[in-house]
């Protein structure tokens, strides 16, 4: 590939997808952010937006499988962008029935010509035509079941091995394949501003088909349409949020009049859910480390009409320098984590995370909980949540916190919607992607014992 610069968007969906995939791999850019920025910056039409999203995410999700299929047809070294182009094209050929094979091949050849020369175009054409003639090899040829699952579901071997050790082979297999299925699109109704039915009607008036969740009453599932572009969203009737991530606010057992702290609040979805439960009474402090993320929280509060929220840029591991000890009734610690529960939304996560990351994340998580302990009132509730399914970040962090603070106990989660009860045990809930077609999530609730006077 020569040194010519290529825009993310030149009117060609596949060329744009290739540029995005290259930026993700070379610059460690986040797929969801880069896709969103590309779509917004170039105001890409809805039909092109859908295809761009599908082929970008699909190629990422199945990258290891695609490389396994390509390997017998590749002789010698390939430039990185050519390999990405082959993955992108083979994804369309193998996984998308509605795109004719010849169209995928012809597009790949034209992109190769524009980005390089006829020789590269001929190479791409020859490899793809060879695959069309011979077909791809089966992953059943891989003898070891864990290695076979790693390739077939396109998850790094170390991650599959880790999950099999933690959850067993069957659960790991189900989860790994589930991670390659697009997640449900859900929104949360702002019940301080409208009812669920009114929100459904408002969205329908704008061409958005939505229906109420059978699990969380204020959650709507979106069948089609872009909610963020609607007046209902701008008015503050709904907010975009995954259904699983609505659980921490339930576990927090917020009551009107409470003084609440959200220690890792950006981008603000859970903070706004808490504010809705406060219903204008009480006060919420929403903290995050980065100023630009804190602005997102403030923007959300403004859109939804909440005035009882204070936003702060601060390191939440040092909040006792800013707030008195035992000054909050409820504290949410939605901690930084590996994000292994949201692979469907951010497929690049499974390739960029390393096994050594877990120990450092565990330290940050326990430090945040230790600070929350100082700030919670007696009989107050701390909720610890993550969007990961890993045992070290979840169970191990909980047990470490309890071991260090004898006056904290796991609290009951009876307040959760009934559909979650079978997943709840000893004050903790483990939600896997396959449970509700939502994100993988973990929630634990702690209550601080009342001090006993002599």
């Amino acid at each position: 590939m020569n040194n010519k610069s290529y825009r993310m968007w030149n009117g060609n969906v596949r060329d744009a997808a290739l540029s995005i995939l290259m930026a993700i791999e070379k610059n460690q850019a986040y797929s969801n952010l880069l896709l969103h920025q590309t779509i917004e910056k170039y105001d890409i039409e809805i039909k092109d937006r859908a295809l761009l999203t599908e082929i970008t995410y699909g190629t990422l999700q199945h990258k290891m499988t695609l490389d396994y299929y390509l390997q017998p047809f590749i002789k010698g070294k390939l430039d990185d962008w050519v390999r990405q182009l082959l993955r992108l094209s083979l994804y369309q050929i193998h996984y998308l029935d509605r795109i004719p094979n010849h169209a995928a091949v012809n597009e790949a050849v034209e992109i190769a010509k524009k980005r390089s020369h006829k020789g590269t175009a001929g190479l791409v054409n020859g490899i793809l035509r060879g695959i069309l003639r011979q077909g791809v090899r089966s992953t059943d040829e891989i003898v070891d079941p864990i290695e076979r699952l790693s390739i077939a579901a396109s998850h790094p071997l170390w991650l599959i091995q880790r999950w099999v050790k933690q959850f067993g082979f069957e659960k790991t297999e189900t989860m790994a394949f589930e991670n390659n299925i697009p997640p449900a699109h859900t929104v949360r109704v702002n019940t301080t501003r409208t009812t669920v039915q009114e929100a459904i009607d408002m969205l329908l008036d704008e061409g958005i088909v939505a229906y109420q969740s059978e699990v969380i009453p204020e959650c709507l599932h979106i069948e089609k349409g872009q909610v963020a572009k609607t007046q209902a969203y701008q008015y503050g009737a709904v907010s975009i949020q995954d259904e699983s991530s609505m659980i921490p606010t339930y576990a927090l057992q917020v009551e009107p009049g409470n003084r609440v702290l959200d220690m890792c609040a950006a981008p603000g979805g859970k903070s706004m859910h808490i504010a809705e439960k406060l219903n204008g009474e009480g006060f919420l402090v929403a903290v995050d480390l980065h100023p630009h993320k804190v602005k997102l929280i403030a923007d959300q509060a403004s859109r939804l009409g909440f005035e009882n929220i204070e936003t702060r840029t601060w390191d939440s591991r040092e909040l006792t320098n800013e707030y008195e000890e035992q000054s909050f009734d409820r504290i949410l610690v939605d901690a930084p984590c590996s994000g292994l529960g949201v692979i469907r939304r951010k497929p690049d996560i499974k390739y960029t995370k390393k096994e050594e990351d877990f120990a450092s994340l565990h330290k940050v998580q326990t430090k945040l909980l230790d600070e929350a302990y100082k700030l919670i009132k007696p009989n107050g509730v701390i909720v610890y949540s993550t969007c990961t399914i890993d045992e070290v970040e979840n169970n191990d962090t909980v047990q470490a916190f309890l071991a260090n603070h004898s006056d904290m106990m796991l609290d009951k989660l009876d307040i959760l919607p009934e559909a979650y009860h079978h997943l709840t045990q000893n004050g903790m809930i483990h939600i896997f992607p396959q449970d509700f077609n939502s994100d993988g999530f973990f929630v634990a609730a702690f209550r601080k014992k009342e001090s006993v006077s002599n």
Side-chain angles (χ1 to χ4, degrees):
M1 185 174 178
N2 59 32
N3 292 324
K4 281 178 67 178
S5 61
Y6 289 90
R7 295 191 309 166
M8 284 294 187
W9 179 250
N10 60 6
N12 185 310
V13 175
R14 292 165 179 84
D15 193 62
L18 177 57
S19 295
I20 291 171
L21 289 167
M22 286 300 299
I24 292 166
E25 187 146 298
K26 280 197 160 189
N27 307 323
Q28 298 292 294
Y30 290 115
S31 55
N32 60 324
L33 296 180
L34 199 51
L35 261 171
H36 177 74
Q37 289 166 2
T38 303
I39 288 167
E40 290 297 311
K41 182 176 181 179
Y42 300 108
D43 196 23
I44 297 173
E45 292 182 18
I46 289 177
K47 67 178 179 64
D48 289 335
R49 183 185 307 170
L51 180 58
L52 177 62
T53 301
E54 183 170 24
I55 63 177
T56 302
Y57 274 160
T59 303
L60 270 174
Q61 283 164 337
H62 299 280
K63 182 174 77 170
M64 292 172 62
T65 318
L66 292 167
D67 283 348
Y68 174 80
Y69 291 154
L70 283 166
Q71 192 271 328
F73 298 91
I74 295 173
K75 311 299 180 190
K77 186 170 170 38
L78 290 178
D79 287 344
D80 290 342
W81 74 271
V82 177
R83 185 176 295 277
Q84 287 284 14
L85 178 58
L86 289 168
R87 287 173 183 156
L88 178 67
S89 305
L90 181 54
Y91 171 74
Q92 296 166 71
I93 291 168
H94 189 72
Y95 291 98
L96 300 184
D97 293 337
R98 69 180 184 278
I99 294 178
N101 291 341
H102 66 85
V105 173
N106 291 342
E107 284 280 359
V109 170
E110 289 304 310
I111 290 170
K113 282 181 186 175
K114 289 177 183 176
R115 290 193 174 228
S116 186
H117 50 72
K118 287 184 178 180
T120 305
L123 174 67
V124 168
N125 184 61
I127 290 172
L128 294 177
R129 296 285 179 193
I131 291 172
L132 289 179
R133 285 193 304 272
Q134 298 177 39
V136 296
R137 57 182 174 168
S138 172
T139 54
D140 290 341
E141 295 176 14
I142 303 171
V143 177
D144 180 78
I146 294 179
E147 185 183 347
R148 183 168 61 247
L149 176 57
S150 168
I151 296 299
S154 195
H155 283 59
L157 182 60
W158 71 264
L159 188 56
I160 295 295
Q161 290 170 333
R162 185 181 182 91
W163 285 351
V164 168
K165 190 179 294 184
Q166 292 182 358
F167 312 117
F169 185 87
E170 186 177 344
K171 193 163 194 173
T172 297
E173 182 179 39
T174 303
M175 178 166 56
F177 283 111
E178 188 78 19
N179 281 340
N180 293 331
I181 300 172
H185 294 288
T186 56
V187 299
R188 189 190 70 251
V189 177
N190 178 6
T191 53
T192 68
R193 185 157 279 188
T194 188
T195 67
V196 169
Q197 189 56 55
E198 286 170 346
I200 291 172
D201 293 341
M202 289 171 69
L203 290 168
L204 188 59
D205 287 343
E206 299 186 68
I208 307 292
V209 178
Y211 62 92
Q212 187 177 21
S213 168
E214 295 179 357
V215 180
I216 294 183
E218 63 265 43
C219 176
L220 301 182
H221 286 249
I222 307 300
E223 287 194 345
K224 66 172 185 176
Q226 298 291 320
V227 173
K229 300 287 187 182
T230 64
Q231 291 181 5
Y233 178 84
Q234 298 302 325
Y235 169 67
V238 295
S239 295
I240 298 167
Q241 187 179 12
D242 182 74
E243 190 161 14
S244 288
S245 71
M246 299 180 198
I247 290 299
T249 300
Y250 273 86
L252 208 54
Q253 304 172 53
V254 174
E255 299 173 1
N258 280 162
R259 181 175 169 83
V260 185
L261 170 64
D262 186 350
M263 291 178 70
C264 309
K270 298 177 190 69
S271 293
M272 298 309 111
H273 198 193
I274 291 168
E276 289 162 17
K277 297 295 185 185
L278 286 172
N279 198 25
E281 300 177 41
F283 194 70
L284 169 64
V285 178
V287 182
D288 204 86
L289 187 60
H290 305 288
H292 70 283
K293 291 185 177 181
V294 172
K295 184 181 182 301
L296 295 176
I297 305 168
D299 290 346
Q300 291 275 35
S302 176
R303 180 178 65 84
L304 295 170
F306 295 126
E307 297 180 353
N308 58 333
I309 298 177
E310 173 186 297
T311 56
R312 295 294 306 273
T313 303
W314 204 263
D315 186 338
S316 285
R317 292 169 292 186
E318 300 173 356
L319 276 175
T320 45
N321 295 333
E322 285 291 292
Y323 298 98
E324 291 184 12
E325 294 190 11
Q326 300 189 9
S327 59
F328 291 94
D329 301 291
R330 303 284 187 269
I331 298 177
L332 175 60
V333 183
D334 186 49
C337 69
S338 62
L340 294 178
V342 296
I343 287 174
R344 291 195 295 189
R345 298 181 191 280
K346 304 173 183 178
D348 36 308
I349 283 176
K350 59 186 175 180
Y351 308 119
T352 56
K353 291 300 173 186
K354 304 279 190 297
E355 196 151 20
E356 52 267 28
D357 294 341
F358 296 102
S360 57
L361 285 166
H362 174 71
K363 288 179 182 177
V364 172
Q365 292 153 358
T366 52
K367 182 72 174 92
L368 287 166
L369 281 171
D370 288 342
E371 196 73 355
Y373 168 79
K374 299 173 189 174
L375 293 164
I376 197 70
K377 293 178 181 179
N379 202 39
V381 174
I382 297 172
V383 165
Y384 172 70
S385 63
T386 71
C387 58
T388 185
I389 46 83
D390 194 81
E391 294 285 352
V392 169
E393 298 177 86
N394 296 335
N395 286 38
D396 289 4
T397 300
V398 167
Q399 297 309 320
F401 178 65
L402 290 172
N404 290 333
H405 304 287
S406 59
D407 55 343
M408 296 299 300
M409 60 181 181
L410 283 165
D411 202 22
K412 292 182 178 179
L413 291 174
D414 296 343
I415 195 170
L416 297 187
E418 187 177 347
Y420 290 100
H421 287 184
H422 74 288
L423 299 173
T424 305
Q425 190 173 15
N426 300 326
M428 296 180 282
I429 178 168
H430 301 255
I431 303 169
F432 289 82
Q434 61 264 38
D435 289 330
F436 296 101
N437 189 29
S438 62
D439 291 344
F441 226 85
F442 174 83
V443 179
F446 307 96
R447 187 175 291 273
K448 193 172 193 177
K449 299 175 186 177
E450 295 272 14
S451 57
V452 180
S453 58
N454 294 325

